[in-house]
């Protein structure tokens, strides 16, 4: 069995400034741009956890909660919440920050699943994860339920 790793070992942060080319006619960041940021930072967190190449296999519970405007900072935080044999669930939180006032607000959150790959591109085992903070324990406690829902959705694509 692989040595368990703490959630903090996979924690990844990214902050960027939202410029006009990143935005739509409402002067808010394109949803697809946010999704690309989320997939990228989640991939980094997953690779930090397993130290192997990974691929995205699902993105679920992707909730857009508020817009991010031109001139604000987009701040993302990602970490591995739970692992199965070869898969890892990664939680990503997205916030906007008004750089003039310091006000921050939650703008999106998502769970993504990644599979670790060996040198032949085949799924390979990943280390278990150890949650430490209350927030990490909360995500971890409900992860098996989310895993079961993903498996059910795979078997019945009309869900």
């Amino acid at each position: 069995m692989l040595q368990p790793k703490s959630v903090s070992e996979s924690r990844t942060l990214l902050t960027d400034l939202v410029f006009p080319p990143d935005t739509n006619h409402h002067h808010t960041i394109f949803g697809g741009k946010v999704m690309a940021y989320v997939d990228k930072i989640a991939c980094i967190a997953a690779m930090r956890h397993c130290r192997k190449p990974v691929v995205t296999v699902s993105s679920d519970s992707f909730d857009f909660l508020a817009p991010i405007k031109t001139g604000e900072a987009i701040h993302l935080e990602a970490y591995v919440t739970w692992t199965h044999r070869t898969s890892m669930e990664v939680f990503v939180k997205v916030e906007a920050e008004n750089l003039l006032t310091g006000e921050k607000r939650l703008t999106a959150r998502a769970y993504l699943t990644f599979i670790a790959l060996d040198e032949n591109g085949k799924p390979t085992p990943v280390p278990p994860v150890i949650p430490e903070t209350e927030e990490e324990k909360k995500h971890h406690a409900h992860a098996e339920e989310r895993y079961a829902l993903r498996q059910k959705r795979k078997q019945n694509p009309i869900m």
Side-chain angles (χ1 to χ4, degrees), residues 88-108:
M88 294 159 283
E89 179 188 80
V90 179
F91 175 70
V92 181
K93 176 171 65 175
V94 182
E95 294 179 317
E97 179 183 356
N98 180 317
L99 295 168
L100 302 178
T101 67
E103 175 203 354
K104 293 180 182 177
R105 65 189 184 287
L106 182 64
T107 61

Side-chain angles (χ1 to χ4, degrees), residues 137-154:
K137 289 175 183 175
K138 185 183 91 178
H139 287 293
H140 191 269
H142 298 285
E144 285 195 61
E145 295 169 38
R146 290 186 298 272
Y147 175 80
L149 287 171
R150 283 190 287 274
Q151 295 307 307
K152 189 174 180 183
R153 201 172 55 235
K154 274 186 190 176

Side-chain angles (χ1 to χ4, degrees), residues 2 5 8-12 43-54 80 88 115-119 124-127:
L2 296 169
K5 290 183 163 185
S8 62
E9 292 181 69
S10 68
R11 190 173 308 278
T12 305
C43 176
I44 293 167
M47 289 180 76
R48 280 183 171 165
H49 180 76
C50 68
R51 297 297 178 190
K52 297 186 181 301
V54 300
V80 174
M88 294 159 283
I115 297 286
L117 302 175
D118 66 14
E119 58 280 349
T124 189
V126 298

Side-chain angles (χ1 to χ4, degrees), residues 73-86:
I74 180 172
H75 179 73
L76 299 96
E77 177 182 6
Y79 51 87
V80 174
T81 58
W82 185 77
T83 62
H84 198 251
R85 196 178 71 74
T86 63

Side-chain angles (χ1 to χ4, degrees), residues 20 32 64 69 101 131:
F64 288 98
K69 301 172 190 153
T101 67

Side-chain angles (χ1 to χ4, degrees), residues 2-47:
L2 296 169
Q3 191 68 23
K5 290 183 163 185
S6 66
V7 169
S8 62
E9 292 181 69
S10 68
R11 190 173 308 278
T12 305
L13 304 171
L14 172 71
T15 302
D16 202 359
L17 190 57
V18 177
F19 288 116
D22 303 321
T23 63
N24 57 33
H25 62 285
H26 301 291
H27 307 287
T28 60
I29 194 167
F30 285 111
K33 181 110 180 152
V34 174
M35 293 173 87
Y37 274 125
V38 166
D39 188 45
K40 186 182 291 187
I41 195 169
C43 176
I44 293 167
M47 289 180 76

